[in-house]
Amino acid sequence: MYSVNSSSTPIDRLAKQHEIPTRCNCGQAVSRFTSKTVKNPGRLFHCCPMGSEKDKTHLFKWTDKSVLEEIEDSRTCLTCCLLTILRFKNQWEVVRP
Ligand SMILES: [Zn+2]
């Protein structure tokens, strides 16, 4: 069970990784690079200056995965906004004479 008073729970850390990353856990700002490997030529990725794809200590994340997560989060947010608008519209129609 996570402590409510903890400033950074595992869920918080997971949520922070679920987007286009800006900073590694080590504190370094991450930058975007272009892969030059045979396996992933031209594929964009965000990486800590101290890290690499195989180094799990520092941040490494493919940009296409980050962008897909951002789109999915935006769709979820949009759905919530539409539901809120519909709820207010229904309430307005109930109170209107
Ligand atoms: Zn790092």
Side-chain angles (χ1 to χ4, degrees):
M1 198 68 185
Y2 305 127
S3 167
V4 175
N5 295 325
S6 172
S7 60
S8 180
T9 66
I11 291 172
D12 288 338
R13 282 194 294 275
L14 188 65
K16 284 175 187 168
Q17 296 298 323
H18 195 254
E19 58 190 12
I20 295 173
T22 55
R23 197 160 289 279
C24 179
N25 285 336
C26 74
Q28 292 280 340
V30 300
S31 297
R32 195 179 69 196
F33 300 94
T34 304
S35 171
K36 295 179 174 70
T37 63
V38 175
K39 190 178 174 187
N40 293 293
R43 192 176 182 190
L44 299 174
F45 63 97
H46 285 86
C47 185
C48 174
M50 310 293 284
S52 69
E53 184 181 3
K54 291 186 173 70
D55 182 357
K56 302 297 179 197
T57 311
H58 296 277
L59 188 135
F60 178 94
K61 193 171 181 186
W62 294 111
T63 303
D64 52 304
K65 288 187 178 180
S66 299
V67 170
L68 189 63
E69 289 170 0
E70 292 269 348
I71 291 169
E72 287 171 349
D73 287 352
S74 297
R75 287 176 65 183
T76 302
C77 181
L78 183 62
T79 301
C80 289
C81 290
L82 289 172
L83 289 173
T84 303
I85 289 169
L86 284 174
R87 196 171 68 236
F88 279 119
K89 182 175 178 273
N90 288 340
Q91 286 175 352
W92 173 254
E93 288 173 354
V94 167
V95 295
R96 210 170 55 180

